[in-house]
Amino acid sequence: MVNTMNVHSKTYKVGDVTITRVTEQVINLAPEVLLPDWNPAVVQEHQDWLVPGCMDETHEHFILSIHTWVVKTQRHTILIDTASGNDKERPLNPIFHHLQLPYLERLEAAGVTPEAVDYVLLTHLHVDHVGWNTRLVDGRWVPTFPNAKYVFPKVEQDYYSSPASHNDVNIPSLGVYEDSVLPVIEAGLTETISSGGGEFIDGLSFLPTPGHSIGHMSISLTSRGEEALFSGDVMHHPIQVYRPEWNSVFCEFADQARASRLWALEYAAQRGATFFSTHFPKSSAGLVTRKGDQFDWRFI
Ligand SMILES: [Zn+2]
């Protein structure tokens, strides 16, 4: 299932800020599983950029990345989303179950020790975005980044802290709140963002993009007139730039997810913001442009 690892990524500059990806894992998933509206005819239309980097030669699998973006501003070291984590009990899903991956070693290779992290920003609280919030030490889940403030939308906390939130779509995230979010709350390391979003620190703002999950937010970074958009899971694969009406199987609120995807595409295109995705393969980053009444994507 696991592809050849592309862990060596470039460092982007947005104004005074540097942005580097730290990969946790690269996975394969059948297109019709990820995107229930999948139509294989689009492969012909987009073959030139889709295969092999975004889809394998057999056309049977999408290639997807799960990673963290490391953002270094003049004053702070910030992580955006923390992938799946090691040692987690996820018996329903082998992609996340009992992982033993050298994520912290890769983070260190990118120049970041756990102690040096000032902020962990989370777009939402699904299984593949909060895993490294904690690690297993002597049978207990403890914060991986002991000096960090963990920051996330309050609506997400309110929802996933209740068993009433469990549904067929978020089954992969069962138990995630308890082992990866609650321990950092109990350690007093969290701060929440209210439902309207807004500026947080260092030109970083939370922008509500609900739908994939109930309180999902994208994160904008502006520095010296340049902008980055960390889009969380408004899209999972670049083919959705061309088919923004296609939700992923993991999108909990379908109509809102479609509306937020269109909003994020329009936002990035209009503002020329570099788009940093959480699951696109290859560099995971690129530019969105308008092409008539559609959008176009280019990896950078
Ligand atoms: Zn995700």
Side-chain angles (χ1 to χ4, degrees):
M1 285 293 282
V2 175
N3 259 288
T4 313
M5 200 62 75
N6 172 24
V7 293
H8 304 289
S9 69
K10 49 185 152 182
T11 292
Y12 297 87
K13 263 209 116 169
V14 172
D16 287 336
V17 178
T18 62
I19 300 167
T20 310
R21 185 184 67 192
V22 171
T23 302
E24 184 199 57
Q25 51 177 331
V26 176
I27 62 169
N28 288 344
L29 209 54
E32 66 276 15
V33 170
L34 180 68
L35 305 173
D37 297 323
W38 171 250
N39 174 359
V42 303
V43 176
Q44 264 59 50
E45 212 179 305
H46 296 286
Q47 179 113 13
D48 55 328
W49 63 266
L50 207 51
V51 184
C54 298
M55 186 173 218
D56 67 10
E57 307 272 3
T58 67
H59 301 177
E60 286 172 8
H61 298 104
F62 278 154
I63 300 161
L64 301 169
S65 172
I66 300 177
H67 54 254
T68 290
W69 290 108
V70 175
V71 175
K72 286 192 177 178
T73 71
Q74 303 283 61
R75 297 187 299 146
H76 294 121
T77 297
I78 298 159
L79 308 183
I80 298 185
D81 287 340
T82 63
S84 325
N86 276 1
D87 299 306
K88 307 276 162 145
E89 284 292 330
R90 309 281 184 250
L92 298 175
N93 201 327
I95 291 172
F96 307 123
H97 189 50
H98 287 180
L99 295 179
Q100 295 297 323
L101 297 171
Y103 171 88
L104 291 179
E105 289 80 352
R106 291 184 195 138
L107 199 60
E108 205 144 345
V112 181
T113 63
E115 292 71 25
V117 176
D118 299 303
Y119 292 97
V120 175
L121 309 186
L122 306 170
T123 57
H124 64 301
L125 303 183
H126 278 175
V127 57
D128 52 327
H129 295 258
V130 300
W132 281 99
N133 283 2
T134 58
R135 60 196 178 92
L136 194 59
V137 178
D138 299 331
R140 289 182 53 238
W141 295 107
V142 301
T144 307
F145 309 105
N147 302 316
K149 203 52 138 181
Y150 292 72
V151 186
F152 47 82
K154 175 147 192 331
V155 175
E156 291 277 301
Q157 178 182 345
D158 293 346
Y159 189 69
Y160 293 111
S161 59
S162 162
S165 68
H166 297 166
N167 61 45
D168 289 350
V169 176
N170 66 28
I171 274 179
S173 292
L174 268 186
V176 167
Y177 184 82
E178 289 73 14
D179 63 33
S180 301
V181 182
L182 198 52
V184 296
I185 294 173
E186 288 177 344
L189 298 181
T190 58
E191 189 168 329
T192 56
I193 301 293
S194 64
S195 59
E199 181 158 10
F200 180 58
I201 46 151
D202 293 359
L204 282 151
S205 299
F206 281 80
L207 307 175
T209 44
H212 173 70
S213 64
I214 196 161
H216 183 283
M217 292 198 194
S218 299
I219 297 168
S220 150
L221 164 77
T222 52
S223 176
R224 294 191 177 269
E226 296 184 331
E227 184 164 6
L229 182 67
F230 299 91
S231 60
D233 280 3
V234 298
M235 292 188 282
H236 288 68
H237 190 276
I239 197 66
Q240 289 171 287
V241 173
Y242 302 91
R243 292 291 188 280
E245 68 279 17
W246 286 357
N247 277 336
S248 85
V249 71
F250 307 115
C251 293
E252 293 191 49
F253 303 91
D255 291 344
Q256 273 192 314
R258 287 189 191 97
S260 289
R261 191 171 304 115
L262 281 171
W263 182 88
L265 284 164
E266 190 66 55
Y267 183 97
Q270 264 191 20
R271 298 171 69 101
T274 305
F275 194 99
F276 291 88
S277 78
T278 312
H279 295 307
F280 287 12
K282 299 175 80 172
S283 70
S284 310
L287 294 170
V288 178
T289 47
R290 263 270 173 210
K291 207 174 180 185
D293 60 354
Q294 299 198 312
F295 295 99
D296 199 22
W297 170 261
R298 180 165 62 85
F299 280 104
I300 58 168

